[in-house]
Amino acid sequence: MNLMEYKYKDMIHRCFRCGYCKFPTDWSDVTNCPPYARFRLESYSAGGRLWLIRAWLNGELEWSPNLANIVYSCVGCKNCVEKCPHSFNDDVVNMIIAAKTAMVDEGKIPKAVGEFLTNVQLHGNPYGMAAKRREDWMEGLNLEPYKNQEYLFYVGCEGSYDTRAQGAARATAKLLQKAGVSFGVLGSQEISDGNEVEMMGEDALLEDLAKKNIKMFTDLGVKKIITLSPHSYNVFKNRYPDFGGEFQVYHHSQILANLLKKGLIKAPEQADARITFHDPCFLGRWNEEYSAPRKVLAAIPGATFAEMARNKKGALCCGGGAGNFYTDFLGGSEDSPARIRAREADETKANILAVACPNCLTMLEDAVKTEGLEDKIKVRDISEILTA
Amino acid sequence: MSSIQQELVNIVGEDYASDRREELFTYSKDLGTSQPLWPEYVVAPKTTDELQAVVRLANETKTPIVPLGGGLTLAGLALPQKGGIIIDLKRMDKILEVNEQGRYIVVEAGISHGKITSYLKKNHPNLMHSEPGAPPAATVGGNLAIHGQGDLAHPYGFNTDMVNGLEVVLPTGDIARFGSCAVGSGWYTMHPLPDIGLFLGWNGATGIITKVSLKLYPCKKFRENNMFVVENEEFVPDVLFEISHLGMAEDLIATSSEIPPMMNRLHYISIINTGDSEEELEFKRHMTFDVQLAKYIRSGVGGIVSLYDERTRPQVSKSADWKKGGGFEYVGAIVPVSFYPECYRRGSEISGRHFIPYTVLGRVIGSCHSMMFSWSYAFNRADDATVKHARDALHETDELVMEINGTIWKPAIFGQKLMLERMDQGALRLMKEVKKILDPNGIMNPGNWEVD
Ligand SMILES: Cc1cc2nc3c(=O)[nH]c(=O)nc-3n(C[C@H](O)[C@H](O)[C@H](O)COP(=O)(O)OP(=O)(O)OC[C@H]3O[C@@H](n4cnc5c(N)ncnc54)[C@H](O)[C@@H]3O)c2cc1C
Ligand code: SF4
Ligand code: SF4
C-alpha cells in the first residue's frame, strides 16, 4: 500500500496537528485521547498518529513494530472526531482505521492483533475458546434458543466468555425474563459481531462475519435484536445494512429503560447507593445514546447520582476499544485510561461505578482493583444494579 | 541503546524517553513551513527533579536541549536546530494554587491554557487569565517564552506582563525563583525586587520555566462580541483609539481577509464587551457605538455588523484548512497601532504575489500602546510549491516588518537574524554575556537568539 492507493490520500495531510482533539468537551485537560493520556508523547496523539501514517504511506518512514503499536493504540473512541474543528473531522478515526487496514493487507500488524484476528477467524471469538463454551453464561437460566420470538438477545463474545462480563449477560437475561419479553438466544451458534475486527482494520473478516451473521439471523427470521454490548449494537445498526442486513437493533440500556418506564420491571430500592456512570464510546460518541442508561439509573429508588467531570460526549474511554481489552496496548501504568477513569469515578464519591458495556466492565473492574479502590467502589453493569 | 538514552530512561522511565524513529520524526516537524530538524532523543519528565536530572545530564554531556510545550508557534522555535534532546514539558501540568482574593494562580509551566481556562470556569467563575488565541493545547511556559498575548491584551498587555513569579531550571540544572516566591512569602508579585528579566521572550535559550504565578483578572458573567466594520483601512487606528479610550473592551481586534468574500477589503473590528448584568452591557454598547463611534456611523463610513454574539473559543486553526491544505504560518509583528493601514496594504500585496488569499489581523495590546499585527499564509501540506510560496511570503514579510520599523514577534530563525543584525550593540553584547554566564556549554535551545 502506498499513499496513492490509500482511501484518504486526499485528506490525511489536512491534519494541522493543532491538538484540539486532545481535549474533552469541557477542555479540562489534554488527556482525552486515551493513548495520548497513557504515553504523553506527541506520536500517540491523534494528530501525531495521522502524520506518522502519512509519512509511512509516503515512504518518508519505514514500517516498524513501534509504528504499528502507535497506530494500533488508537482505541477508536472518537474523541478526536468530536473535538477536531475541521470539516474533515468525521473521518479522523476512519483515516486511522484505514491505516490499520493497510497494515493488515501487508501482514504488518502487532502480534497480539494477529492473535485476536486469527482467533476470531478460526473460533468466532477473540479468546480462541470453543464455540460450545459460549453457552456457559446461560447455565441455570432456562433460556430458549432463538425461534421466532420477538427479540434475539445477542450476547457477544465478552458476555459469553469473560467470567466477569457473563454476570451482565445473566442479569440482562433475567430482567428480560422477568418482564416477560419474548426473546431467544443463539447459544453456541453465536459468532463475533465483527465490530472490533473492523476497528482493527480487517475489512474482509468483518464482511465475512457480517454476511454469516446476516444469513443466520435472516434464516431464523430475526427482526429485532437486543445487544449486551454497545460494540455489537454499533456494527449491527450502522454496518450490517451495508451488507444487506436490516434489523431493528436495541442496546440493552434502551430496552431496560423502556421496561422500567412501562412498569414491567422495578428497580430495587438502594438507599446507600451513590452511582456514577461511565459512558461507553460505542453507545455514546458513536451512537449518541446518552440518556437511556441514565434513565435506568434514575429509576433506582433511594440512589443518588453523580456525574464524573468528563461525561457524555466528553467521556474518557476506558481504553478497551478496537480490541484493546485483549491486545492491551494501553495497560501497565497509572496513566492507563481505565485507571484514570477509576480515580475519576472515586472523586465523585460514588460507591457504584455503573457501566453499560462488557468491555468497560472488565477494564474498569481490573482498574479499580489495581488502584486499590475495590472496597470503596464496585463496578456494575446497569443490568446488575437492577437485579441487585 | 546509547548511554544517553539509557540515562534518560533511568530518569523518567522507559515510557517517557524515546530514541525511536517514530517519536523523533514526530518532533522533527512543527505545524508551519519549517524544514524538518531531527532530535536524537525525546523525553517527557513529570517533575522538576526529573527535569533537573535531564538538564544536568545534557550539560555534562554537552548535548543540546530544546524545551517544548504545545509546539504551536508555527515558526519552528521548538525544532532542534542542532539535534539533541527534545524535552516535552506537557506532563508538568499541575495547578498548584489559586489565590482568589490575591487574584493569581500558580501552575507548572507545561500546563495547557485550555486546562487553566476550564479549571477557573468551574472553580472560580469570577476569575480569568489571558488565554492566547492559539489552540488550547498551548502551554503557559511556551507562551511566556515567546512573549505571547491573549484575550486580555487590551486592558493588561502582553501575557509576560502578567507574571507574578517564576521558577526556572537553569542550563546547569540549578533552580532559581524570582518574585515574592524567591523570598518565600508566596507568589503574589514580581516586584519590588531587582529586575531579572532573563527568561521571558528567550525561546527557552536561557532556562526552562517550570513554575509560574499568573495574574488573574475579574471575569464578568456575560461577554459578547460587538462587531464594527469600516471600508477604509485608514480609519482603523482611530477607531481602535476611540474604543480603547473607554478602557472597557476586554479584547480589541481588527481583521480583514479575502475569504469569505464578505470580509474582503473590509475591516472588521471585534470589540469584546463584558458585564455582570444586561445594564452593564447595554451601557458599554451605548458608550461604544452611540458615543465613541457615533461620528463614523453618522457619516456612513462605519457600521455595526453584529451585537450580542456570544464569544466562543476562537478556532483560528481552521484557517489552516483553506483549500483543504492543512497548513498555515504567520508573521507576527509588534507595531504601533497607526501602522495598521500600511501593514494591511503591503501584506495583501505580498499575499497576491504568492497566490494566497490575504488574512491579516491586529490585536491591540494595552491602551493602544502597540498592536500585534499578523499576516497569515495558508499552504497545502501536500503541495510543496505552495509551501515554498508561503515560506517566501513569510520571509518577505519579515523584511517588510524591518523596513517599516516594526519588531518581529516570535521570529523564526530567519527573522531572528534580521532583528539581531539591527539590534543595538550594547544590548547585543549584554545578551551574549548573559547567555554565556547562564549557559556556559551552549546547550539551551541553541540557534535561537544566538549572538555571533
Ligand atoms: C492558530 C494559532 C493561533 C495563535 N494565536 C496566538 C495568539 O493569539 N497569541 C499568542 O500569544 N500566540 C498565538 N499563537 C502562537 C503560539 O501557538 C502560542 O503563543 C503558544 O502559546 C506557544 O506555546 P507552546 O506551548 O505551543 O510553545 P512551544 O511552541 O512549545 O514553545 C515556544 C518556545 O518556547 C520554548 N519553550 C517551551 N516551553 C518552555 C518553557 N517551559 N520554558 C522555557 N522555554 C520554553 C520552546 O523551545 C520554543 O522556543 C498561535 C498559534 C496558532 C497555531
Ligand atoms: S485531528 Fe483535527 S484537531 Fe486533531 S490535530 Fe489534526 S487537525 Fe487538529
Ligand atoms: S479515536 Fe480515540 S484513541 Fe483514536 S485517535 Fe481518536 S481520540 Fe485517540
Side-chain angles (χ1 to χ4, degrees):
Chain A
M1 170 80 79
N2 61 41
L3 184 62
M4 295 323 284
E5 293 163 24
Y6 176 70
K7 186 168 170 203
Y8 299 98
K9 68 173 190 300
D10 295 328
M11 189 185 282
I12 192 158
H13 66 275
R14 289 170 65 187
C15 168
F16 189 40
R17 233 176 86 192
C18 46
Y20 283 85
C21 52
K22 290 175 177 169
F23 286 88
T25 37
D26 68 355
W27 306 102
S28 56
D29 210 344
V30 291
T31 51
N32 229 42
C33 167
Y36 182 70
R38 165 69 178 82
F39 293 104
R40 297 299 288 270
L41 296 176
E42 284 299 318
S43 36
Y44 282 88
S45 68
R49 208 170 282 114
L50 291 176
W51 281 38
L52 280 168
I53 291 168
R54 179 165 174 254
W56 171 53
L57 295 169
N58 247 344
E60 246 182 290
L61 266 187
E62 295 269 303
W63 181 91
S64 70
N66 187 41
L67 177 70
N69 285 351
I70 291 170
V71 171
Y72 272 94
S73 69
C74 165
V75 292
C77 72
K78 260 195 171 180
N79 187 67
C80 46
V81 172
E82 189 60 46
K83 291 306 289 183
C84 173
H86 295 285
S87 58
F88 59 85
N89 65 337
D90 272 349
D91 281 316
V92 175
V93 72
N94 295 337
M95 288 193 262
I96 297 169
I97 296 169
K100 294 179 180 176
T101 304
M103 291 191 179
V104 168
D105 288 348
E106 299 203 348
K108 292 178 165 170
I109 49 176
K111 192 160 159 272
V113 173
E115 278 168 17
F116 186 108
L117 295 174
T118 309
N119 283 339
V120 173
Q121 175 100 60
L122 295 179
H123 306 286
N125 70 78
Y127 309 103
M129 286 168 73
K132 226 168 97 270
R133 302 280 309 273
R134 259 200 194 263
E135 297 187 348
D136 287 1
W137 72 275
M138 296 158 50
E139 205 183 314
L141 284 180
N142 212 6
L143 294 175
E144 295 170 10
Y146 183 83
K147 204 175 158 207
N148 289 326
Q149 292 93 333
E150 186 180 1
Y151 294 98
L152 164 69
F153 176 35
Y154 177 91
V155 185
C157 299
E158 300 82 51
S160 301
Y161 291 107
D162 183 278
T163 46
R164 179 63 190 90
Q166 283 172 350
R170 292 172 65 81
T172 306
K174 279 187 201 161
L175 289 164
L176 296 176
Q177 282 175 325
K178 204 169 179 183
V181 175
S182 153
F183 75 100
V185 293
L186 294 172
S188 59
Q189 303 297 309
E190 200 184 85
I191 53 167
S192 165
D193 52 56
N195 191 68
E196 303 319 281
V197 160
E198 179 171 42
M199 294 301 135
M200 293 166 120
E202 207 350 336
D203 291 353
L205 188 50
L206 165 71
E207 188 172 343
D208 182 46
L209 291 167
K211 284 183 175 162
K212 279 185 186 147
N213 273 323
I214 291 167
K215 179 160 184 338
M216 178 165 39
F217 297 170
T218 312
D219 289 351
L220 288 167
V222 172
K223 302 223 161 30
K224 298 182 184 176
I225 307 174
I226 302 170
T227 73
L228 179 70
S229 171
H231 299 242
S232 323
Y233 173 71
N234 179 62
V235 72
F236 291 164
K237 184 164 173 258
N238 300 319
R239 291 293 277 129
Y240 277 32
D242 298 338
F243 303 104
E246 302 272 358
F247 307 99
Q248 289 176 50
V249 190
Y250 304 90
H251 181 244
H252 79 323
S253 61
Q254 297 167 327
I255 297 288
L256 295 177
N258 201 30
L259 295 177
L260 283 164
K261 190 170 157 203
K262 286 188 178 152
L264 293 172
I265 48 174
K266 238 179 124 243
E269 163 124 12
Q270 298 186 43
D272 297 333
R274 181 170 169 82
I275 307 178
T276 189
F277 178 65
H278 167 79
D279 287 275
C281 304
F282 282 93
L283 193 62
R285 278 185 291 260
W286 280 81
N287 287 291
E288 294 183 12
E289 176 61 272
Y290 300 105
S291 70
R294 286 179 173 76
K295 280 184 193 155
V296 171
L297 297 171
I300 299 165
T304 53
F305 183 76
E307 288 285 6
M308 284 185 268
R310 298 190 254 187
N311 59 59
K312 299 180 189 162
K313 281 183 178 165
L316 170 69
C317 166
C318 71
N324 263 275
F325 66 92
Y326 178 92
T327 52
D328 199 26
F329 289 111
L330 306 183
S333 154
E334 63 177 11
D335 288 330
S336 297
R339 287 180 61 183
I340 299 177
R341 207 59 179 148
R343 294 195 294 273
E344 283 178 0
D346 185 45
E347 276 166 27
T348 67
K349 303 202 163 49
N351 49 24
I352 297 179
L353 167 53
V355 297
C357 167
N359 275 358
C360 303
L361 180 61
T362 55
M363 296 290 296
L364 292 172
E365 182 144 303
D366 287 349
V368 162
K369 282 188 195 138
T370 317
E371 287 288 313
L373 294 168
E374 70 263 53
D375 292 338
K376 287 174 80 182
I377 192 161
K378 305 281 175 231
V379 186
R380 295 281 181 268
D381 188 78
I382 51 168
S383 59
E384 296 175 316
I385 301 172
L386 292 183
T387 49
Chain B
M1 194 186 285
S2 76
S3 62
I4 291 187
Q5 171 64 13
Q6 185 58 59
E7 287 293 325
L8 293 174
V9 168
N10 293 347
I11 297 166
V12 297
E14 63 183 345
D15 286 340
Y16 302 111
S18 175
D19 59 356
R20 293 179 299 253
R21 222 171 144 67
E22 292 70 30
E23 272 78 46
L24 304 185
F25 166 86
T26 308
Y27 288 90
S28 74
K29 299 191 180 206
D30 80 353
L31 291 57
T33 61
S34 300
Q35 303 284 6
L37 289 164
W38 288 68
E40 287 141 282
Y41 313 93
V42 178
V43 63
K46 173 87 182 151
T47 62
T48 308
D49 286 350
E50 288 181 3
L51 174 64
Q52 255 189 308
V54 173
V55 174
R56 287 211 169 105
L57 170 71
N59 197 37
E60 277 159 23
T61 55
K62 299 195 172 42
T63 311
I65 43 180
V66 180
L68 175 104
L72 294 167
T73 66
L74 302 167
L77 303 180
L79 294 181
Q81 301 295 326
K82 302 190 179 169
I85 308 169
I86 295 260
I87 307 183
D88 186 329
L89 295 159
K90 290 191 286 296
R91 291 178 73 219
M92 299 180 63
D93 62 354
K94 286 203 230 16
I95 293 170
L96 302 170
E97 183 194 346
V98 176
N99 187 316
E100 174 121 13
Q101 277 208 328
R103 287 209 177 105
Y104 67 83
I105 183 169
V106 185
V107 293
E108 290 184 329
I111 193 173
S112 69
H113 277 277
K115 179 169 173 174
I116 297 182
T117 300
S118 175
Y119 181 86
L120 291 175
K121 200 169 160 192
K122 263 187 216 156
N123 300 291
H124 305 275
N126 54 348
L127 295 176
M128 65 185 289
H129 84 301
S130 187
E131 180 169 340
T139 66
V140 166
N143 188 254
L144 294 178
I146 59 164
H147 277 308
Q149 349 71 36
D151 47 18
L152 292 176
H154 172 232
Y156 306 112
F158 285 92
N159 284 353
T160 37
D161 298 332
M162 305 175 191
V163 173
N164 249 356
L166 274 185
E167 180 191 271
V168 180
V169 171
L170 301 174
T172 50
D174 295 334
I175 294 189
R177 283 189 173 185
F178 305 95
S180 51
C181 66
V183 282
S185 54
W187 292 77
Y188 52 84
T189 182
M190 274 302 262
H191 309 309
L193 303 173
D195 176 36
I196 313 182
L198 296 175
F199 306 98
L200 307 177
W202 272 87
N203 298 1
T206 49
I208 301 180
I209 302 166
T210 45
K211 292 193 183 75
V212 182
S213 171
L214 279 181
K215 291 181 190 169
L216 300 174
Y217 299 90
C219 180
K220 301 277 186 169
K221 284 202 185 80
F222 310 106
R223 84 188 356 84
E224 61 183 30
N225 187 358
N226 297 326
M227 198 76 96
F228 192 71
V229 65
V230 292
E231 191 176 5
N232 186 344
E233 67 271 17
E234 293 294 340
F235 294 143
V236 173
D238 184 59
V239 169
L240 297 176
F241 182 76
E242 291 292 346
I243 300 168
S244 80
H245 175 83
L246 292 173
M248 297 190 309
E250 204 166 73
D251 202 3
L252 194 48
I253 292 176
T255 175
S256 180
S257 61
E258 204 164 325
I259 296 173
M262 55 168 284
M263 293 195 71
N264 194 13
R265 304 288 153 198
L266 295 176
H267 303 273
Y268 284 77
I269 292 139
S270 150
I271 307 156
I272 305 295
N273 277 338
T274 62
D276 280 329
S277 63
E278 179 50 37
E279 291 75 33
E280 188 177 348
L281 278 169
E282 181 53 42
F283 172 73
K284 288 183 176 175
R285 266 180 240 132
H286 164 71
M287 290 303 292
T288 307
F289 297 111
D290 303 339
V291 180
Q292 225 59 17
L293 298 180
K295 60 182 174 186
Y296 289 102
I297 298 169
R298 252 186 266 116
S299 60
V301 295
I304 302 169
V305 187
S306 64
L307 289 174
Y308 322 119
D309 273 2
E310 208 190 314
R311 183 163 213 201
T312 49
R313 182 184 293 283
Q315 301 201 329
V316 199
S317 73
K318 276 188 179 176
S319 44
D321 208 34
W322 173 71
K323 278 207 172 168
K324 305 186 171 163
F328 86 104
E329 186 174 333
Y330 64 91
V331 168
I334 306 300
V335 292
V337 174
S338 59
F339 283 23
Y340 182 95
E342 186 174 8
C343 288
Y344 153 70
R345 282 192 295 267
R346 304 274 302 269
S348 58
E349 281 163 25
I350 295 176
S351 289
R353 278 203 295 285
H354 293 281
F355 317 106
I356 304 169
Y358 81 87
T359 303
V360 297
L361 176 152
R363 170 180 253 163
V364 174
I365 302 176
S367 298
C368 280
H369 296 127
S370 63
M371 137 180 291
M372 193 289 291
F373 192 95
S374 69
W375 299 260
S376 296
Y377 301 108
F379 56 84
N380 185 331
R381 207 172 287 287
D383 177 350
D384 289 343
T386 66
V387 179
K388 182 169 180 330
H389 267 301
R391 197 179 292 129
D392 291 347
L394 291 160
H395 288 177
E396 282 175 39
T397 310
D398 279 343
E399 276 156 357
L400 167 68
V401 178
M402 294 292 89
E403 185 194 323
I404 61 175
N405 285 324
T407 40
I408 309 171
W409 168 58
K410 69 169 177 69
I413 300 295
F414 179 86
Q416 288 177 29
K417 293 221 162 80
L418 296 183
M419 301 262 278
L420 289 170
E421 275 164 27
R422 285 161 179 77
M423 204 178 268
D424 167 70
Q425 287 302 313
L428 269 187
R429 265 196 307 277
L430 193 60
M431 276 175 82
K432 197 170 173 172
E433 286 302 311
V434 164
K435 174 78 181 169
K436 211 160 67 192
I437 294 167
L438 287 175
D439 185 13
N441 291 317
I443 57 162
M444 286 297 308
N445 208 359
N448 274 272
W449 290 127
E450 206 164 75
V451 184
D452 293 331

